[in-house]
Every structure is written in C-alpha cells, then in structure tokens.
Amino acid sequence: MGIIMLTAIVIAKNEEQMLGDCLKSLKFANEVIVVNNNSTDNTVQVAKKHKVKIINFSGIGYDLARNRGLSEAKNNWILYIDADERVSPSLKNKIKKAILSPLYSAYDINRQNIYLGKQMKYGGWGDDSVIRLFDKSKLFGYVNSLHEQPKYSGKLGKISEPIIHYSHRDLYSMTEKTIFFTNFEAQNRLDVNHPPVVWWRIIRVMITEFYIR
C-alpha cells in the first residue's frame, strides 16, 4: 500500500525497546511525529533512525502530550498510536479506506491486548477499543491528564481490525507502570480535594475488581 496523507502521532517516554517496531508499522503515513516526554534512554536515537519528526515535551499529562503533537500535525487526518502498539497491514487498509472515503469525523478502533506475552480475551481486556483516528478539523484536543479522552464533533465510526497492543512485557514494567499510575491518580484526587478514603471503600473496590476481572 502506498503512502497516504496522514499524520501519525506517537507519545513516547523511555520506549527504546518498543518504538522501532511501532514506527516501522507507520511507514504508510506521510508524516510521523514522536512526542518525546523526557526520555532518559535511547528513545530519541531510535526515532532519529526512522527519520520522523521529534518534539521534545516536558509537561505533565497525557492529554497535554497528545495536544502538543496535534499542534504540529500538517495533514487533515490524525492517527494516534502509542509506542507499545502496532498497526497491522489489514488495519492500514481500513484506515486508508476511511480517509479516502470519509463518512465519519472520528473512528473507534478495536484493540488486541497482549499481556505478558498472551492475548487477553476476558477480564475486561478482550472487548477493548480506542478512539484514535480523527478528521483534524473536527478534533478539539484531549482532556484529562490520565486516561485522557478526545473531544470532537460529528459522528463516530467503527473499525473492527484491531490495533495490536503489547501492554506489559514483564512483571517489572507492569509494577513500574502501576506505581506511576497510582501516584498520578492519587495526586489528581488531592488536587480536587477528594475526601479521605475510608477502610471499607478499599475492601469494596478490591472485591468489585476481583469479581469483574
């Protein structure tokens, strides 16, 4: 499949091991932007090898990082992909069709989650999807520093071909990300004056999550 007029935006922090394969899967886009969020490893060097546009970002919040990439995009269509995700050849074809014959302002794309080397089918991971493909003129940007959500106008379409998501590759990275998210969410609650958490709520949340998963 040839190059298409699409800007792919990748948010990356210390993703030297995952970024290369991600960028290889995005070669069908005529513009790729890597938003480098204070990486201390070789993330920038990997991005340079693939001759993509690199933006250094020092803010706090996934919404701000995604919006920073959006501000530099040159094309009318935007695709957001994380460094630990891949676009398969079949998904590329679906994206190309959506762009060439646009019926919607944004597209919700299925996501196949690979967790510790295994494809997840249950426990809330099997029916995952993310809104990642946008008509730039209808996209206002992202909100929420964690678990960020896009704000857009118009109708939402659906692409069934999944994004391949290599979530946690080992127990160390899983623990590190969990600690980071926990600290982030705790700070967010403090910032909005969330009331103190009582002991019974901790037990209720644990039981509820165990039942769901």
Side-chain angles (χ1 to χ4, degrees):
M1 183 181 68
I3 302 297
I4 61 176
M5 303 300 289
L6 169 72
T7 297
I9 300 175
V10 182
I11 310 300
K13 180 174 183 177
N14 294 336
E15 292 284 5
E16 63 179 5
Q17 296 182 0
M18 301 298 290
L19 183 59
D21 286 342
C22 173
L23 296 179
K24 288 178 184 177
S25 77
L26 295 173
K27 288 186 177 297
F28 65 99
N30 75 314
E31 181 182 47
V32 178
I33 297 174
V34 172
V35 181
N36 171 49
N37 190 357
N38 290 324
S39 294
T40 56
D41 63 358
N42 292 318
T43 293
V44 172
Q45 287 75 10
V46 172
K48 287 181 177 179
K49 288 181 181 179
H50 290 269
K51 297 180 172 60
V52 300
K53 185 173 184 177
I54 303 170
I55 299 173
N56 291 316
F57 172 77
S58 299
I60 298 176
Y62 289 100
D63 56 341
L64 298 181
R66 293 195 187 277
N67 292 338
R68 182 70 180 89
L70 177 63
S71 70
E72 298 285 340
K74 304 299 184 184
N75 291 309
N76 294 329
W77 281 89
I78 309 295
L79 174 68
Y80 283 98
I81 293 292
D82 292 340
D84 59 358
E85 296 174 338
R86 309 288 181 265
V87 177
S88 67
S90 55
L91 177 55
K92 294 174 189 177
N93 291 329
K94 295 292 186 180
I95 291 172
K96 181 178 180 180
K97 182 179 179 181
I99 292 175
L100 294 179
S101 302
L103 299 174
Y104 303 95
S105 302
Y107 287 86
D108 186 36
I109 307 175
N110 283 346
R111 185 163 64 170
Q112 182 183 103
N113 292 294
I114 311 297
Y115 194 95
L116 298 180
K118 300 291 185 180
Q119 181 180 344
M120 302 296 289
K121 298 181 180 180
Y122 307 101
W125 289 77
D127 55 353
D128 189 21
S129 66
V130 285
I131 305 173
R132 293 288 188 79
L133 181 63
F134 302 93
D135 178 341
K136 184 183 177 184
S137 66
K138 304 295 178 62
L139 176 61
F140 307 125
Y142 276 78
V143 296
N144 301 332
S145 58
L146 187 62
H147 308 304
E148 67 282 7
Q149 295 296 320
K151 294 294 184 180
Y152 61 92
S153 63
K155 295 182 178 180
L156 178 66
K158 179 70 176 181
I159 296 179
S160 58
E161 292 294 333
I163 295 170
I164 310 302
H165 180 210
Y166 293 93
S167 180
H168 299 298
R169 280 83 68 190
D170 52 62
L171 291 175
Y172 176 81
S173 66
M174 181 183 71
T175 304
E176 286 290 298
K177 194 169 185 178
T178 300
I179 293 172
F180 172 74
F181 279 6
T182 300
N183 290 337
F184 212 140
E185 291 184 346
Q187 187 60 53
N188 285 344
R189 282 166 170 75
L190 285 173
D191 292 342
V192 297
N193 297 316
H194 191 282
V197 177
V198 294
W199 65 268
W200 57 263
R201 188 169 186 271
I202 295 176
I203 296 175
R204 180 183 65 79
V205 170
M206 285 193 298
I207 294 174
T208 301
E209 280 297 309
F210 182 81
Y211 176 78
I212 293 173
R213 301 299 176 183

